[in-house]
Amino acid sequence: MTLLSSRPRKPVEPGLLSRALEVAGRLANDATDVITATAGRGARPGFEDSPFDWVTDTDRTLERHTRRILTAEFPGIPVVGQEFGADVGSEDAEYRWVVDPVDGTANYVAGVPWCAYSLALVDAEGPVVGVVADPFRGQIYAAARGRGARANGKRVSLTDRTSTAGAIVCTELTRTGPWPGMGGFIERAASARAGVRVLGSAALAIAQVALGHAAAAVLHSYHEWDVAGSVALALESGAAVLDRRGEDLALPVDGLLVAAPGVADQVLSWWQESANA
């Protein structure tokens, strides 16, 4: 059985938490305005390794804006972003900001209303503050260490589950397609009467667990900027956050499972068994 750690995480100076939440919230609102105004309307994607790994003018514009504000408000705290990489010294800094300006860019380019802006303040123990903008639902999800999670200011507290029957489990493709064992994972979920959904945004997939809409989310691989903001939500809402071995780490490096605690073992077993089949 998976044992969830109750170890306390390092406390953070209250003033820094409050300022980080306020600034991150403002940036999330800015991103919401830009994304909703431009999605599917003439974005000019550039190809990277995959034709669906888009980079758009919006990604770059939002990240530049985010970096400019954070550098002014929090001098000395480096920024790591999807589009422009890591500031010098980010690996050794006590804190770092991590931003994904548009998570789910292929959806954004197509005008599919399922993408997010994600921003997190991170230390050695994981997310300190996380904010995720869900522009097409008009929601800002925010969390801070020890202060809980909120959706548009309303407290979010995860109601645990004891069964996956009738539940939704989220996952995402890798950059090259289905991850190894993904077919077996879907079959195991179906046998347990759970439905697997691939919706195109890692940040929103994890947020659905924190909000109680999905029982679990499994990511075979990811970048820190994809998930740091939503993992903050998950941790503060009471979700289990595990790697593929079942170890509880705030930002696992070997895959990521976020789940309602009562079904974490079951979903983890599907993942492990499908990978070994």
Side-chain angles (χ1 to χ4, degrees):
M1 180 173 180
T2 303
L3 297 177
L4 304 181
S5 172
S6 60
R7 60 178 170 77
R9 289 177 292 156
K10 174 185 172 183
V12 180
E13 196 273 314
L16 175 59
L17 281 181
S18 296
R19 287 180 55 236
L21 270 174
E22 190 274 327
V23 174
R26 281 197 281 120
L27 287 166
N29 277 295
D30 293 344
T32 292
D33 292 342
V34 172
I35 290 170
T36 54
T38 60
R41 300 176 186 173
R44 298 193 299 276
F47 292 104
E48 289 189 344
D49 295 340
S50 163
F52 289 103
D53 193 5
W54 306 111
V55 177
T56 69
D57 291 342
T58 301
D59 291 82
R60 298 186 183 99
T61 298
L62 284 176
E63 185 167 324
R64 287 191 187 101
H65 175 64
T66 297
R67 286 175 176 272
R68 183 169 60 252
I69 297 300
L70 293 178
T71 299
E73 296 280 354
F74 302 92
I77 298 182
V79 181
V80 179
Q82 181 180 22
E83 305 308 330
F84 299 109
D87 289 345
V88 174
S90 60
E91 292 184 0
D92 300 321
E94 181 180 7
Y95 298 104
R96 65 187 181 279
W97 286 102
V98 182
V99 59
D100 188 346
V102 184
D103 180 63
T105 317
N107 286 348
Y108 164 81
V109 169
V112 175
W114 189 262
C115 61
Y117 170 89
S118 176
L119 177 63
L121 181 65
V122 177
D123 69 6
E125 296 186 14
V128 171
V129 165
V131 173
V132 175
D134 184 352
F136 294 100
R137 269 150 293 282
Q139 295 283 321
I140 303 292
Y141 311 125
R145 185 175 294 172
R147 295 191 182 184
R150 287 173 169 77
N152 281 3
K154 183 177 180 180
R155 185 69 178 259
V156 173
S157 184
L158 186 64
T159 300
D160 202 4
R161 299 171 182 259
T162 57
S163 171
T164 57
I168 293 295
V169 175
C170 297
T171 190
E172 293 295 332
L173 300 171
T174 70
R175 295 174 70 177
T176 58
W179 42 269
M182 185 173 174
F185 178 84
I186 293 172
E187 291 173 359
R188 285 169 172 80
S191 295
R193 295 185 292 157
V196 177
R197 299 291 183 268
V198 179
L199 299 173
S201 167
L204 290 183
I206 295 170
Q208 302 318 298
V209 181
L211 296 166
H213 301 155
V218 172
L219 300 179
H220 174 77
S221 59
Y222 62 91
H223 295 290
E224 184 181 52
W225 54 69
D226 297 327
V227 302
S230 54
V231 165
L233 302 173
L235 290 167
E236 290 298 317
S237 73
V241 178
L242 310 170
D243 68 9
R244 73 180 75 246
R245 294 181 302 277
E247 296 183 12
D248 66 305
L249 300 169
L251 277 176
V253 296
D254 186 17
L256 176 64
L257 166 64
V258 178
V263 300
D265 282 323
Q266 183 178 11
V267 179
L268 179 64
S269 71
W270 302 342
W271 191 14
Q272 294 173 335
E273 290 165 7
S274 61
N276 295 328

